[in-house]
Amino acid sequence: MVHITINGKVVKAAEGEMLLTVLKREGIDIPALCHHEAIEPTGNCRLCMVEISRAEWEGWKKHVTSCLYPVEDGLIVNTHTPEVIEIRKTIIDLQLANCPDSDVIQKMAEEYGIYKTSYETVPEGDNCIMCYACTRICEVLGKSAISAVMRGHKKVIAPPFGEEPPDCIGCLACAQICPTNVIPWTDTDSTRTIWKKTFDLITCTSCGKAVITKDFAEYLMAQRQIPKEYFETCDECKRMATARKMGEIVTKAQEAAL
Amino acid sequence: MTRQDLTKLTAIFDHYPTDAGSLIGVLQDIQREFHYLPREAMTKTAETLGVPLSKVYSVATFYNAFSLTPRGDTIVRVCKGTACHIKGADLLLDQLESGLGIKPGETTEDMKYTLEVVNCVGACAMAPVMIVNNKYHGNVACNRALKLVKKD
Ligand code: FES
């Protein structure tokens, strides 16, 4: 256990915990786009900058990305000094130039009083902030179906050769983790298409709604030993079935008590 | 890939430990051997080293040293770094473009020549610099450029 001071208040935290996690737990609003519990932090979006110092630094301070900074005893953190806000504004301003059409970034910018970027906007921008959350989550899942392709301003996240990614299982993790919602996918009653690859969907045996792609189910069965029956019904129907069973048990118990 | 190509590929793989750390080395050797990275070679590299194909493709597209399209037997690079630019690299390039009938990044149909533009090659003192198959030519006069290329 370590003690750190956040905006003047002493707070307890676990050794080695990332600063952003502690700040969030304390209910402090820090903008962060590339951070997610499911993946290792990489500090790509730079939005979670805060100011740190220590008593023995004699007034010296520095700015760090809180998502990547492990807390240590005696750390003094300030999250909303004029400098920090200025830095954050610059980053948001740049992100806005990069993603002029992203409602997520627009909203964030508005909160910081930015309504129009002061930089030149990226022509034909795709609203991707290159945070790699999608490629990282895909890697965590053990698939690595997509990656960064090319470099510099030409860099995009794409499947190899720009074709159907052979390793993709249609789990949608990339689309769902994307902070600016730029990975498109479509579902029909029985198929799902993402990264130009179309998957068959398993439909719920009781209500007919789509549950999961066949490939993803097979992957989970093999890797996580999840039984096949688990994928035969959707979450809602599973919940209903459990409720019904509970009801039966209760009625039976009541009858027995009579 | 022909059987011969596959043998070459296996020979390259045999040189390296089969892990992710060998990726760049293997790709460099493939590039050297085939003058580009054939798609099948990339897939085989992924399988052999146990690296996801997406990673191989990512590395292959990141470095300028790798080419994804077949290149000619003679690779002509024109430096367009600051010094060469000032000393007329543009004129030099113009000459080569019209002489070979291709634009930078392209290869002649007979697969003989590939033209490329590079940034500073660290030989500014002899600007403008042209590199033909790794041989450096300095102070290249425009009217001499094409001859130097064809001679090689
Ligand atoms: S959340 Fe820390 S850099 Fe993106």
Side-chain angles (χ1 to χ4, degrees), chain B residues 80-98:
Chain B
K80 273 186 93 177
T82 316
C84 291
H85 176 80
I86 289 173
K87 294 271 246 160
D90 271 331
L91 297 175
L92 190 64
L93 194 61
D94 267 354
Q95 284 291 319
L96 290 168
E97 279 182 26
S98 56

Side-chain angles (χ1 to χ4, degrees), chain A residues 20-59:
Chain A
L20 184 63
T21 317
V22 183
L23 294 173
K24 285 210 166 148
R25 193 165 58 229
E26 288 302 306
I28 298 169
D29 183 32
I30 307 277
L33 284 176
C34 69
H35 177 264
H36 194 280
E37 294 74 23
I39 46 181
E40 291 286 315
T42 47
N44 279 325
C45 76
R46 316 308 289 172
L47 277 163
C48 63
M49 285 269 188
V50 295
E51 177 195 287
I52 59 160
S53 182
R54 303 181 63 86
E56 64 271 25
W57 287 0
E58 293 167 359

Side-chain angles (χ1 to χ4, degrees), chain A:
Chain A
M1 195 60 80
V2 298
H3 290 87
I4 65 173
T5 313
I6 301 174
N7 298 337
K9 185 180 150 210
V10 178
V11 166
K12 273 194 221 159
E15 177 117 46
E17 212 175 352
M18 291 301 163
L19 187 49
L20 184 63
T21 317
V22 183
L23 294 173
K24 285 210 166 148
R25 193 165 58 229
E26 288 302 306
I28 298 169
D29 183 32
I30 307 277
L33 284 176
C34 69
H35 177 264
H36 194 280
E37 294 74 23
I39 46 181
E40 291 286 315
T42 47
N44 279 325
C45 76
R46 316 308 289 172
L47 277 163
C48 63
M49 285 269 188
V50 295
E51 177 195 287
I52 59 160
S53 182
R54 303 181 63 86
E56 64 271 25
W57 287 0
E58 293 167 359
W60 194 78
K61 55 198 178 188
K62 63 176 178 177
H63 296 107
V64 297
T65 43
S66 58
C67 69
L68 264 183
Y69 201 88
V71 291
E72 60 214 24
D73 209 32
L75 201 67
I76 303 167
V77 187
N78 279 304
T79 60
H80 285 78
T81 65
E83 281 117 317
V84 171
I85 298 206
E86 208 41 54
I87 292 175
R88 223 172 268 160
K89 271 185 163 174
T90 309
I91 298 167
I92 295 177
D93 197 354
L94 283 162
Q95 295 286 21
L96 194 59
N98 190 25
C99 316
D101 309 319
S102 160
D103 37 356
V104 180
I105 309 267
Q106 277 167 1
K107 204 169 141 252
M108 197 175 261
E110 270 167 34
E111 277 168 28
Y112 279 79
I114 305 168
Y115 297 94
K116 203 178 156 287
T117 174
S118 48
Y119 299 94
E120 207 171 305
T121 51
V122 172
E124 294 159 41
D126 58 0
N127 288 341
C128 170
I129 61 161
M130 279 296 156
C131 70
Y132 293 91
C134 52
T135 60
R136 285 184 284 151
I137 194 79
C138 196
E139 194 173 343
V140 169
L141 271 151
K143 283 289 153 195
S144 293
I146 47 171
S147 63
V149 174
M150 308 299 285
R151 69 161 160 192
H153 65 277
K154 287 202 203 128
K155 185 159 68 183
V156 287
I157 300 294
F161 308 106
E163 296 170 4
E164 290 182 13
D167 295 322
C168 180
I169 48 174
C171 71
L172 294 191
C174 55
Q176 278 156 356
I177 204 171
C178 177
T180 48
N181 302 321
V182 291
I183 301 177
W185 53 278
T186 47
D187 267 6
T188 67
D189 287 343
S190 58
T191 61
R192 163 173 302 160
T193 307
I194 185 165
W195 298 112
K196 296 190 203 149
K197 188 171 178 180
T198 301
F199 300 87
D200 285 334
L201 286 167
I202 298 177
T203 46
C204 175
T205 44
S206 63
C207 74
K209 255 207 329 236
V211 184
I212 189 173
T213 62
K214 274 203 182 103
D215 297 51
F216 191 21
E218 271 159 26
Y219 173 76
L220 289 173
M221 282 189 266
Q223 295 285 318
R224 311 276 147 102
Q225 281 79 44
I226 297 175
K228 189 165 179 272
E229 303 75 58
Y230 185 82
F231 305 108
E232 282 165 1
T233 46
C234 70
D235 286 351
E236 220 164 291
C237 291
K238 263 193 219 94
R239 236 171 270 137
M240 294 270 268
T242 316
R244 217 172 292 129
K245 210 178 264 161
M246 288 297 280
E248 277 166 26
I249 295 171
V250 172
T251 336
K252 243 186 231 153
Q254 279 171 344
E255 277 169 8
L258 279 178

